Amino acid sequence: MDAPTTTSADSGSGGGGWFTPRTTPAPHLTPAGPDRESGDGRRVSAIRPVGRPTTAPPESDEGRIPQPRKGREPEAPQKPSAPPQARPAAAGGPEPRPAPANASPDAILVRRTMDEIGTIADKVTSYFYALLFVRHPELRPLFPAAMDTQRDRLLKALLTAAEHVDNKLVLVPYLKNLGRGHRKYGTQPEHYPAVGEALIAALTRYATATWDAETEAAWVRTYTTISQVMIDAAAEDEMKAPAWWLAEVVAHDLRTPDVAVVTVRPDQPYPFLAGQYTTLETPWWPRVWRHYSFAAAPRSDGLLSFHVKAVPAGWVSNALVHRARPGDVLRLGPPAGSMTVDHSTDSGLLCLGGGTGIAPIKALVEDVAEHGQRRPVEVFYGARTDHDLYDIDTMLRLQQSHPWLSVRPIVDQQAHLQLPDAVREYGPWNEYDAYLSGPPGMIRNGVDALRDIGIPVSRIRHDSVEELVTAAD
C-alpha cells in the first residue's frame, strides 16, 4: 500500500494541543474563550486532560460517570526518570514486550499499556462506550441502535492505529482510510475530542499497573496525531466525493440458497478500482455497515455487483440475500482497499479466492483483460463442496476467452486438501504477485503458505484481516 507523505499530523511536541484539530474551524465551530458554541447554539465544553487541574469552573458531576482515579496523580519526579526501555513493569503488571529497534519513547509507553489491557479488552470497551454516551449523549445516534453489532470496532481501530504509531507507511494510509470512511457515519471534527477523552479515561481506569503522567502524555500525543490525520483526510475527501452514495438494486440473482449476486445502480458516478471493496448499509438495519468487495471491474454502464453469503445471525448479509429485491435502495460508503493490479509491470498474478472471495478475483481478471495485457493469471478457486463453487461457470468462460488465464477449482471434500496447500503443488511462483480473498483463516494460512514457497511479503496483497472478521455478517 502506498503511503503518501504528510505533514498534517503533529508529532506531539506542540501543535494541536489537547486533542484539538489544527484545521481551521468552520464559522460555527470557532472557539469563543474556554468554551465553543456548536452548530445548534449549545455550549461545548473545552477539552481537559483526565485528572488534571483546570482554572475553569468545576463542572457538575450529576448524570455523569465520574472521571476515573481523579486526583491520583503521581508526584513530579525529583530527578530524571529512566528511559521507558529501562523502567521495569509495576508489581503485578505485564512483562513488557521487547521494544522494536529505534522505537520512539511514546511507542514504547503505548505498547506497554496495550499489553496490560489485552486480557481485559471487553471491560475497557464497555467503559469506553458508557463514558462516551453518558458524557456526550448527542453522539449516540451516530451508532447502531444495537451496540452488539458495533462492539469494539471503534476502540479496536484506535488501538490498532496506536500500535503502529512509529510506522508511518502503515499508519498514515490506515488513518486516511478511516477518516474518509467515517464520513458516512456523520462524524465531524468536533466529535474527536469526545472520543479522545473517553479513550484516555478508559485506559486510565484499567491500565492501573503501567499508567502514569508520562504514559498519559504519550497517549495524548498519539491520539492527537491519529485524529488530525483522520480529520485532514475527511476534509480533503469532502472536496471531491460525497459521504455516501444511494444505490438502487437493479438485479438480485440467488445462486444458492445462501449466496446472492446483488447488482446496484449508484445515484451518481462511483469511482473505484478492481480489487477494492466498499461498505453497504441496508434500509432494514440503519447505521449497520458491512464490507463487500466489488465483483466486477468498473463498467461503462456504472453498475456495481457484489457477492453476498448469508451467515447465521448475519443482519446485513441475510437482508441482502433473503430480503433485498430490485427497487430497494441501499447506501454505499467510499471505496477502499489496495488489493489492486500494478499495470506498470508484467508480473504474473497468482490469485487465491475462497468462497465469495472469488468476487474481487474475478474483478482483477477483468481488469487485466481490459488493459489488453497478456500476463499470466493463475486462479485457485477454493470451496468446501462442489455446491459452493457457485461462480465456476463464469470463471471457466473467462478462461475460454483469455488464453493467459488458468482457473483451478479446489474442493476440500474431494481433494482432502485446503486451498493454500494446493498452491504449493504448482508453481514456481517466484515471478508472480499474489492476491488473496476469502475467509480470514484462509488468508492467514495462505499468506504463510506463500511465504514458505518464497514469495516476499511485499508481493502479497489482501484486504485487512481485522476488517474481514467484522464483515462476516
Side-chain angles (χ1 to χ4, degrees):
M1 180 183 295
D2 294 332
T5 57
T6 178
T7 58
S8 64
D10 188 13
S11 65
S13 57
W18 175 258
F19 295 173
T20 304
R22 297 194 318 281
T23 51
T24 302
H28 67 282
L29 300 177
T30 303
D35 290 345
R36 295 181 299 172
E37 189 170 288
S38 67
D40 58 5
R42 294 177 297 155
R43 306 299 289 181
V44 181
S45 298
I47 304 305
R48 289 186 282 275
V50 176
R52 297 287 189 269
T54 175
T55 57
E59 296 181 52
S60 169
D61 286 333
E62 182 179 358
R64 297 180 64 178
I65 296 178
Q67 293 190 0
R69 303 214 309 268
K70 196 164 187 175
R72 188 179 172 272
E73 290 292 320
E75 295 183 1
Q78 299 301 314
K79 59 182 179 179
S81 60
Q85 296 93 325
R87 286 164 42 191
E95 287 296 327
R97 285 178 288 175
N102 301 320
S104 68
D106 281 359
I108 294 170
L109 294 171
V110 164
R111 291 190 179 102
R112 179 177 295 158
T113 305
M114 295 176 65
D115 285 342
E116 181 179 358
I117 66 171
T119 59
I120 53 172
D122 285 348
K123 292 182 179 179
V124 178
T125 299
S126 297
Y127 188 84
F128 168 80
Y129 281 115
L131 197 65
L132 181 65
F133 294 154
V134 169
R135 288 186 175 179
H136 300 278
E138 72 278 7
L139 299 185
R140 185 62 180 88
L142 301 182
F143 294 82
M147 279 300 293
D148 59 336
T149 62
Q150 176 70 21
R151 273 300 294 148
D152 57 353
R153 290 180 188 175
L154 174 57
L155 185 60
K156 181 180 289 185
L158 294 174
L159 296 180
T160 298
E163 173 75 9
H164 295 91
V165 64
D166 277 352
N167 189 347
K168 296 299 187 288
L169 292 177
V170 172
L171 180 67
V172 173
Y174 178 77
L175 292 177
K176 286 190 171 186
N177 183 45
L178 282 180
R180 290 188 293 265
H182 281 189
R183 290 183 59 213
K184 65 180 178 287
Y185 299 110
T187 304
Q188 299 296 321
E190 60 268 28
H191 296 156
Y192 284 84
V195 172
E197 286 183 338
L199 171 65
I200 297 297
L203 296 175
T204 303
R205 182 179 181 88
Y206 287 101
T208 56
T210 58
W211 196 262
D212 55 20
E214 187 179 0
T215 301
E216 180 172 316
W219 273 97
V220 169
R221 288 188 291 267
T222 298
Y223 182 81
T224 300
T225 298
I226 289 171
S227 59
Q228 192 61 51
V229 175
M230 293 176 66
I231 289 169
D232 289 350
E236 180 182 355
D237 193 59
E238 188 175 5
M239 303 297 294
K240 57 186 179 183
W244 39 263
W245 288 253
L246 294 177
E248 180 185 359
V249 177
V250 296
H252 187 279
D253 179 12
L254 194 63
R255 295 289 182 86
T256 75
D258 58 359
V259 174
V261 176
V262 181
T263 304
V264 303
R265 178 186 291 113
D267 62 340
Q268 51 188 306
Y270 188 101
F272 73 99
L273 299 175
Q276 289 190 304
Y277 62 90
T278 186
T279 47
L280 289 176
E281 180 202 49
T282 71
W284 304 284
W285 298 109
R287 298 186 300 281
V288 179
W289 298 78
R290 293 293 181 267
H291 297 90
Y292 291 100
S293 296
F294 299 103
R299 296 166 46 166
S300 59
D301 58 11
L303 297 181
L304 311 173
S305 293
F306 306 95
H307 294 185
V308 184
K309 179 178 177 64
V311 297
W315 294 11
V316 175
S317 64
N318 276 283
L320 289 172
V321 172
H322 300 303
R323 193 165 182 175
R325 294 293 181 270
D328 291 331
V329 177
L330 312 175
R331 287 207 298 176
L332 305 178
S338 59
M339 199 181 76
T340 56
V341 177
D342 181 1
H343 292 289
S344 66
T345 75
D346 57 1
S347 300
L349 273 63
L350 171 61
C351 303
L352 283 66
T356 53
I358 197 63
I361 301 301
K362 171 176 169 288
L364 293 177
V365 171
E366 293 177 350
D367 189 35
V368 172
E370 289 175 6
H371 278 77
Q373 297 170 312
R374 298 181 63 84
R375 58 202 298 183
V377 178
E378 303 282 340
V379 174
F380 288 80
Y381 184 1
R384 291 188 176 90
T385 68
D386 284 331
H387 177 75
D388 296 320
L389 293 172
Y390 66 91
D391 210 34
I392 188 61
D393 289 343
T394 302
M395 298 304 300
L396 292 177
R397 283 196 297 270
L398 287 171
Q399 179 178 247
Q400 291 176 352
S401 302
H402 307 297
W404 41 262
L405 172 64
S406 176
V407 177
R408 296 185 177 92
I410 306 296
V411 180
D412 290 352
Q413 291 186 359
Q414 293 179 357
H416 302 288
L417 193 66
Q418 292 189 336
L419 180 58
D421 298 321
V423 176
R424 291 189 177 97
E425 298 187 358
Y426 296 87
W429 308 115
N430 298 338
E431 303 300 322
Y432 283 71
D433 294 330
Y435 296 79
L436 300 91
S437 180
M442 187 220 84
I443 291 180
R444 293 190 183 98
N445 294 336
V447 170
D448 290 342
L450 294 175
R451 294 181 65 181
D452 288 345
I453 60 178
I455 299 181
V457 174
S458 61
R459 303 184 71 168
I460 301 175
R461 300 188 183 188
H462 58 85
D463 290 336
S464 166
V465 173
E466 288 76 15
E467 291 176 343
L468 291 169
V469 170
T470 60
D473 60 351

